[in-house]
């Protein structure tokens, strides 16, 4: 596993860079998000912890995810359905299926022109970490 500039491959470095303690729960949550390759709900994070024998109470999982989100260590993508949480080392946006809630990353570079146009039209300067959400139907739901 390579070590990247953000510490994504090293959850300890990522937490330390954000001034957070490296608790076992936080480390395992970050590892689950990184290793899943997709965005997970809090319930999926809790289930993942239980599968590894490191079960945590639902409240603890929610609090950990909210704390990590507040410090931009992870990002939250609202539904439909439950919020999903993700982690990445690349600036990106998201697509969200309005039917099943599936979330996919959309590279920031792919929307650079659109983001520039949004700023021209509205004066709003979107952030770089998953700040645009594009809602529609995924290929499975549209079929």
């Amino acid at each position: 596993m390579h070590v990247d500039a953000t510490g994504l491959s090293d959850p300890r470095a990522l937490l330390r860079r954000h001034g957070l303690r490296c608790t076992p729960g936080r480390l395992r949550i970050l590892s689950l998000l990184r290793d899943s390759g997709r965005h997970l709900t809090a319930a999926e994070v809790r289930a993942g912890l239980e599968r590894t024998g490191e079960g945590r109470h639902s409240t603890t999982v929610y609090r950990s995810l909210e704390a990590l989100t507040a410090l931009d260590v992870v990002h939250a993508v609202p539904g439909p359905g439950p919020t999903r949480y993700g982690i990445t080392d690349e600036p990106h946006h998201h697509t969200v299926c309005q039917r099943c809630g599936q979330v996919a990353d959309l590279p920031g570079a792919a929307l650079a022109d659109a983001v520039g146009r949004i700023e021209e039209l509205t004066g709003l300067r979107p952030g770089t970490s998953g700040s645009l959400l594009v809602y529609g139907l995924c290929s499975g739901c549209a079929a």
Side-chain angles (χ1 to χ4, degrees), residues 5-26:
T6 63
L8 184 59
S9 63
D10 182 2
R12 288 181 187 278
L14 183 60
L15 288 172
R16 287 186 188 122
R17 196 174 72 250
H18 287 274
L20 296 171
R21 288 183 343 182
C22 297
T23 65
R26 287 176 181 164

Side-chain angles (χ1 to χ4, degrees), residues 7-63:
L8 184 59
S9 63
D10 182 2
R12 288 181 187 278
L14 183 60
L15 288 172
R16 287 186 188 122
R17 196 174 72 250
H18 287 274
L20 296 171
R21 288 183 343 182
C22 297
T23 65
R26 287 176 181 164
L27 291 170
R28 189 65 195 130
I29 287 170
L30 289 175
S31 293
L32 277 171
L33 291 172
R34 178 197 63 206
D35 296 343
S36 74
R38 62 187 186 90
H39 293 73
L40 302 174
T41 66
E44 290 171 327
V45 170
R46 184 169 183 255
L49 293 172
E50 287 175 357
R51 278 191 301 276
T52 63
E54 299 180 39
R56 299 280 189 267
H57 191 276
S58 295
T59 303
T60 303
V61 171
Y62 281 107
R63 285 183 183 158

